[in-house]
Amino acid sequence: MQRKSISPRQRLWLSSVRFDSSIGHVFYNERLFRWVRVNPAGKALLMAFSGGAIPREVLLRVGEGTQQSVSDMEKPALDFIKLMVSRGILSVEAPEKQAPLTIPDRLEASLRDIYLNVTDLCNLNCSYCYDRYDRRVRRTVGKRRLSVPQWKDALAQTKQIGATRAIFTGGEPLLFPNLKELATCAKQLGFKIHLLTNGTLLGSADVSGLCELFDRIQVGLDPGPDGPPEPAAQGIIALFKAGKHGLSMDPVLTRQTIDYYPRYREWANELLPGVPIRPTIYVPNSASPADIAMLPSRHQVQSHILKAHSDDDVHPTALPGGDVPMPRYHCGAGVSTLCIAFDGSVYPCQSLQRDDYLAGNILEQRITDIWENSEVFSMLRGLTVAAIEGCSSCSLRLVCGGGCRASALNTQGDIRAQNRPLCDLLLRDLAIEQIAASATETVN
């Protein structure tokens, strides 16, 4: 980026907010959605422009506390200042004269991901599952199941309206007898295909051939006092040794398991070098004391997650989307994602499989009709971060997009509510760490 010509006597204003991360100081311009990570000297120089200042005067003040003369400091400091202006961190305009940030009050749908819950069967009963057994049984008892031709037609329909990634989940998708046939069909249609599995069946000889079809296999292999449980550990190790690419470890961390995470990472780095670990903080299924009690403490999160976030092998996924490539106005449910259940029911995402968020059924309507005309999807597309009380005034709102709406619904009873307690516990700190980590270098 070309650096603008700035006079040492031209008044400049700090047009960004500062956050302090574990790996540096971040200055973030929400209006332009740009940020930089700077060292302590850069922080001191930028903060001198709060309220407006002239570069030459700033250098005189900063120089008083150092052994350097202003003439020695002037060129590198002015180069730094010009760079900050070019990136929008400093501005030649006073804040009141800058164009206000505009957040859309409604989003255009652009389907990207389809979650295919090919079965409601699972060989585990995890208390933290987003579709845990007690809720799944109430919703699925007596329901019919899609045939293989109907699943294939669903894949073709979603491809026609723009979907690019098919994510096979459940239940446990490896219990679905026709998984290989459906995965092959999705591949032939041009989808990137992912498998979300608990990993316990990966050691099967039949499964190893099937896994070669998938572009990514995300294994929910959780930590325990003696390391990851068998046989899931041996299954992923076998795939790794066979040269399978696209593996990732996606543990869910609760108050009971997060303290085992450091040992888990040691185990993974030793036996699965290079396989990314993407820990997710448990999302409560309800506001009940038992569910809320499973949330890790802030101290646990700080010690075991945020401290490790700058490591190359750790990519937390508590924020939708992981990295921060563009402004986020929404979590994505019903805007860029949809979920098709084993009986043809269509929901905004895999975590909103609830009767009151049922958008339609592919046995009764074309997917295009559901996607374009569902009242559920229409409501969600009008629920941008600007409409969420508590988020609308947050300076990090475009980084997290308001967080997971299913989490807000579960814990607050309102899909329009702020995403507490996850916001207080993790999301704000993680948003800061993510934008700090996404800055490829520290500007000195």
Side-chain angles (χ1 to χ4, degrees):
M1 184 180 295
Q2 185 176 3
R3 303 188 185 188
K4 297 182 179 180
S5 177
I6 300 295
S7 165
R9 301 189 181 280
Q10 182 173 8
R11 183 170 293 275
L12 301 174
W13 284 263
L14 183 64
S15 57
S16 53
V17 294
R18 190 194 92 229
F19 302 107
D20 297 319
S21 76
S22 64
I23 56 174
H25 309 288
V26 177
F27 285 79
Y28 167 63
N29 183 323
E30 182 189 41
R31 187 173 59 87
L32 299 177
F33 203 64
R34 294 178 184 167
W35 55 90
V36 295
R37 189 173 72 231
V38 300
N39 64 7
K43 169 189 169 183
L45 195 55
L46 287 174
M47 292 304 296
F49 288 94
S50 299
I54 295 172
R56 180 74 180 180
E57 295 175 355
V58 167
L59 295 183
L60 287 171
R61 292 201 306 270
V62 173
E64 290 175 357
T66 70
Q67 300 298 318
Q68 288 183 286
S69 67
V70 173
S71 59
D72 290 337
M73 293 175 55
E74 187 166 17
K75 186 180 185 309
L78 283 177
D79 284 345
F80 174 84
I81 290 168
K82 291 174 184 177
L83 178 61
M84 294 301 100
V85 172
S86 72
R87 296 191 179 183
I89 306 305
L90 294 175
S91 175
V92 297
E93 293 182 320
E96 63 272 14
K97 294 184 178 180
Q98 296 176 23
L101 172 68
T102 301
I103 296 178
D105 56 10
R106 186 164 189 84
L107 299 176
E108 292 294 325
S110 179
L111 184 60
R112 181 188 63 195
D113 296 336
I114 55 168
Y115 286 84
L116 307 175
N117 284 31
V118 290
T119 180
D120 59 325
L121 302 176
C122 189
N123 57 336
L124 299 179
N125 183 20
C126 301
S127 58
Y128 54 74
C129 181
Y130 65 81
D131 198 24
R132 68 185 184 189
Y133 181 74
D134 57 345
R135 183 183 293 170
R136 188 166 66 245
V137 167
R138 288 196 300 272
R139 194 181 69 249
T140 61
V141 168
K143 293 288 184 71
R144 57 191 171 183
R145 297 173 186 276
L146 293 180
S147 66
V148 172
Q150 288 167 333
W151 272 119
K152 289 181 177 180
D153 183 53
L155 284 167
Q157 288 186 56
T158 53
K159 188 65 179 176
Q160 288 174 356
I161 57 176
T164 57
R165 183 163 54 184
I167 303 163
F168 289 81
T169 180
E172 172 49 55
L174 291 176
L175 290 173
F176 182 61
N178 303 109
L179 182 60
K180 185 174 184 178
E181 186 176 355
L182 282 189
T184 300
C185 174
K187 199 78 171 176
Q188 291 171 343
L189 287 169
F191 282 99
K192 292 288 185 181
I193 57 174
H194 290 201
L195 177 69
L196 305 187
T197 173
N198 62 38
T200 58
L201 303 176
L202 288 176
S204 164
D206 294 337
V207 167
S208 60
L210 167 65
C211 288
E212 289 304 313
L213 286 169
F214 290 92
D215 298 290
R216 173 172 290 176
I217 298 177
Q218 298 170 235
V219 183
L221 188 59
D222 297 332
D226 301 316
E230 301 284 355
Q234 293 307 314
I236 191 171
I237 289 172
L239 288 178
F240 177 77
K241 289 182 175 178
K244 173 60 185 171
H245 298 288
L247 298 172
S248 70
M249 309 272 284
D250 292 43
V252 176
L253 303 180
T254 67
R255 182 181 292 265
Q256 292 73 28
T257 63
I258 193 171
D259 288 334
Y260 305 132
Y261 183 61
R263 174 69 188 94
Y264 177 96
R265 290 185 57 223
E266 292 174 2
W267 175 88
N269 290 335
E270 177 183 352
L271 298 176
L272 301 167
V275 173
I277 306 171
R278 307 178 192 275
T280 298
I281 298 298
Y282 160 73
V283 174
N285 283 298
S286 73
S288 72
D291 278 351
I292 296 297
M294 290 176 63
L295 272 171
S297 70
R298 184 175 178 82
H299 172 73
Q300 287 177 312
V301 171
Q302 291 282 348
S303 299
H304 300 316
I305 300 297
L306 295 182
K307 184 178 179 181
H309 179 61
S310 59
D311 292 356
D312 291 339
D313 61 333
V314 180
H315 305 278
T317 56
L319 283 184
D323 294 333
V324 193
M326 63 186 68
R328 298 189 62 87
Y329 302 113
H330 187 274
C331 74
V335 177
S336 59
T337 70
L338 63 75
C339 170
I340 303 174
F342 70 96
D343 66 342
S345 296
V346 178
Y347 301 94
C349 73
Q350 76 277 24
S351 296
L352 282 172
Q353 294 183 71
R354 301 163 61 121
D355 290 343
D356 44 349
Y357 288 92
L358 175 63
N361 191 293
I362 65 172
L363 297 178
E364 301 166 359
Q365 299 169 268
R366 298 290 293 175
I367 292 179
T368 301
D369 183 36
I370 298 172
W371 182 247
E372 293 178 352
N373 301 313
S374 161
E375 292 183 2
V376 170
F377 287 160
S378 178
M379 179 274 293
L380 287 169
R381 291 163 192 167
L383 184 56
T384 71
V385 69
I388 301 172
E389 187 176 356
C391 296
S392 58
S393 59
C394 175
S395 56
L396 289 166
R397 56 190 169 173
L398 299 189
V399 180
C400 77
C404 172
R405 293 295 86 211
S407 172
L409 179 64
N410 290 347
T411 59
Q412 309 299 305
D414 184 356
I415 200 166
R416 297 172 178 82
Q418 187 178 6
N419 199 358
R420 295 182 181 271
L422 273 180
C423 184
D424 293 337
L425 177 70
L426 174 70
L427 290 183
R428 182 175 176 82
D429 289 338
L430 185 54
I432 293 170
E433 294 297 325
Q434 283 192 307
I435 61 175
S438 67
T440 56
E441 61 180 346
T442 298
V443 181
N444 299 313

